[in-house]
Amino acid sequence: MTEDARFEDGREAPLNIGALDADDLRVIASLTQDAVFPASEMRWDRKGARFALLLNRVRWEDAGKERHAPERVQSLLVFDTVQQVASQGVTKGDADTILSLLSIGFDETDAPSGQVTLTLAGDGAIRLSVEALEVTLRDVTRPYAAPSGKLPRHDD
């Protein structure tokens, strides 16, 4: 005998995923595409070798987006084993400057070390020199309706 689906079976849980290689990172990159965050919400803990962003990402994985307005959720994007951070076109620490994450890439230099590049809208970029690729993405709030009421548009 088969059982009907229950409401509880359809719930969506917050994301809590990690990446240890370039393929895994592509998944995180797709989930964080078009995320926005104030420049004041990025931190590098030099002693702890950790770089973190508190961002508002689009819930691209939302299975119910046809039934309701697009949603965003606050998430922590954390990179471990970070040895050096460099940026271009980024105003650090300014709460009024809102940055938009376009993509994340990884170039291995001396396995497992490499460079992670976070490409931002407006020609900005953040480059992280890492000892090894170790990334986590974790939702930290409940989803909320995107203030624009729309998904970001891509002109390809």
Side-chain angles (χ1 to χ4, degrees):
M1 176 176 173
T2 60
E3 214 175 291
D4 286 341
R6 297 173 299 162
F7 179 80
E8 295 79 20
D9 296 336
R11 85 171 169 80
E12 295 180 36
L15 285 183
N16 186 4
I17 60 174
L20 297 175
D21 62 33
D23 288 336
D24 294 344
L25 185 62
R26 279 192 277 283
V27 173
I28 288 179
S30 69
L31 291 166
T32 58
Q33 181 178 352
D34 298 314
V36 294
F37 59 97
S40 60
E41 293 296 340
M42 57 181 160
R43 298 277 187 281
W44 180 31
D45 173 10
R46 188 184 306 257
K47 278 187 173 180
R50 176 175 284 169
F51 182 81
L53 297 167
L54 178 62
L55 43 82
N56 298 287
R57 67 175 191 84
V58 175
R59 290 191 64 237
W60 294 113
E61 75 282 7
D62 180 14
K65 60 185 161 233
E66 284 77 35
R67 295 188 313 268
H68 55 76
E71 293 179 337
R72 286 190 178 264
V73 64
Q74 277 198 323
S75 303
L76 272 175
L77 179 60
V78 179
F79 298 86
D80 288 304
T81 75
V82 177
Q83 299 170 320
Q84 186 177 5
V85 177
S87 66
Q88 170 186 321
V90 178
T91 306
K92 298 172 194 81
D94 181 2
D96 292 333
T97 300
I98 303 298
L99 303 171
S100 179
L101 182 59
L102 297 179
S103 65
I104 304 171
F106 178 67
D107 294 311
E108 196 171 68
T109 53
D110 185 17
S113 300
Q115 306 285 327
V116 174
T117 303
L118 291 87
T119 304
L120 307 170
D123 296 327
I126 301 168
R127 187 183 69 233
L128 311 174
S129 298
V130 297
E131 191 175 310
L133 195 58
E134 193 173 326
V135 185
T136 57
L137 175 66
R138 182 170 56 93
D139 292 345
V140 294
T141 65
R142 289 187 177 276
Y144 61 91
S148 68
K150 303 175 195 170
L151 287 172
R153 198 173 126 193
H154 295 272
D155 297 324
D156 297 318

